[in-house]
Amino acid sequence: KIRVLTYSKKLFIWFKELRLNPVFYFENLSKKEKLDFIGGLFDAEGTLTDRFVIYNGNKNLLEKIKEFLVEQKISAYIYRFGKIYGVQVYKRKNILELTKKIYSIKFKRAFHQVKKHSWLLIGNDLYNRRRLPSARILNSFSRELRTGKRRR
């Protein structure tokens, strides 16, 4: 849990209102701001394996994010994982399109390659590309991002 201390009443009220109604906040953002919001939310509450997933307990927020992604021609689906929900993008072309549109520290880390040997750096961990299926997928995504060509 992270806590923020502020002496600004205006900032405190703004964060409180945002926390109470994030859907309203998201709806009133510009396209670029929505993409930035999704990137930040993914960094905070998302995962990237063979699919892109953002987890959250607010299903309405995830539905608005899904609608926005569909408007951007990125197919997304909402699933329930116990008490929380997740918006998922799992088609390769949609994940690649998403990586071009949003900035995310997790994307940057996932696609950073260690060129020596056949290893892939995901987060702070090294994986052998040949042994980890999701690492092979990420390596393939990384190659497609660099070259713009899909390996057949």
Side-chain angles (χ1 to χ4, degrees):
K1 193 176 217 182
I2 297 174
R3 296 178 187 219
V4 176
L5 176 64
T6 180
Y7 294 101
S8 168
K9 186 174 182 178
K10 187 176 180 180
L11 183 62
F12 172 78
I13 291 170
W14 183 81
F15 271 115
K16 187 176 177 182
E17 290 173 359
L18 170 62
R19 186 170 175 239
L20 293 175
N21 196 355
V23 176
F24 177 76
Y25 175 79
F26 183 77
E27 289 175 327
N28 291 302
L29 296 174
S30 70
K31 177 183 171 184
K32 184 188 179 330
E33 291 170 334
K34 286 180 180 180
L35 291 169
D36 290 341
F37 182 91
I38 292 169
L41 192 60
F42 175 71
D43 280 341
E45 301 182 3
T47 59
L48 178 67
T49 55
D50 61 333
R51 63 193 67 202
F52 168 94
V53 186
I54 296 175
Y55 301 98
N56 199 284
N58 189 332
K59 186 178 179 184
N60 293 332
L61 176 62
L62 294 180
E63 286 175 352
K64 291 297 178 186
I65 290 172
K66 176 191 170 221
E67 289 173 14
F68 174 73
L69 291 174
V70 170
E71 288 172 10
Q72 303 303 307
K73 301 196 178 6
I74 297 171
S75 58
Y77 305 91
I78 294 181
Y79 294 95
R80 186 177 179 143
F81 301 97
K83 293 182 180 181
I84 62 169
Y85 297 90
V87 62
Q88 293 188 13
V89 175
Y90 59 86
K91 292 183 180 176
R92 176 187 297 262
K93 68 176 186 167
N94 291 323
I95 294 173
L96 289 171
E97 189 63 31
L98 198 57
T99 61
K100 293 174 188 172
K101 292 186 176 194
I102 70 170
Y103 176 78
S104 165
I105 300 297
K106 282 188 181 177
F107 274 154
K108 193 174 180 181
R109 285 181 183 163
F111 293 117
H112 174 73
Q113 290 189 25
V114 177
K115 298 192 183 213
K116 216 173 184 186
H117 310 295
S118 60
W119 294 87
L120 179 69
L121 180 66
I122 303 174
N124 295 324
D125 302 317
L126 282 173
Y127 295 98
N128 186 318
R129 290 183 186 148
R130 294 182 192 106
R131 293 189 182 168
L132 184 67
S134 60
R136 275 185 272 148
I137 291 166
L138 289 172
N139 181 39
S140 165
F141 284 163
S142 182
R143 186 180 320 104
E144 287 178 42
L145 283 174
R146 280 193 328 274
T147 64
K149 297 177 184 175
R150 184 169 183 180
R151 186 174 164 187
R152 305 258 178 224

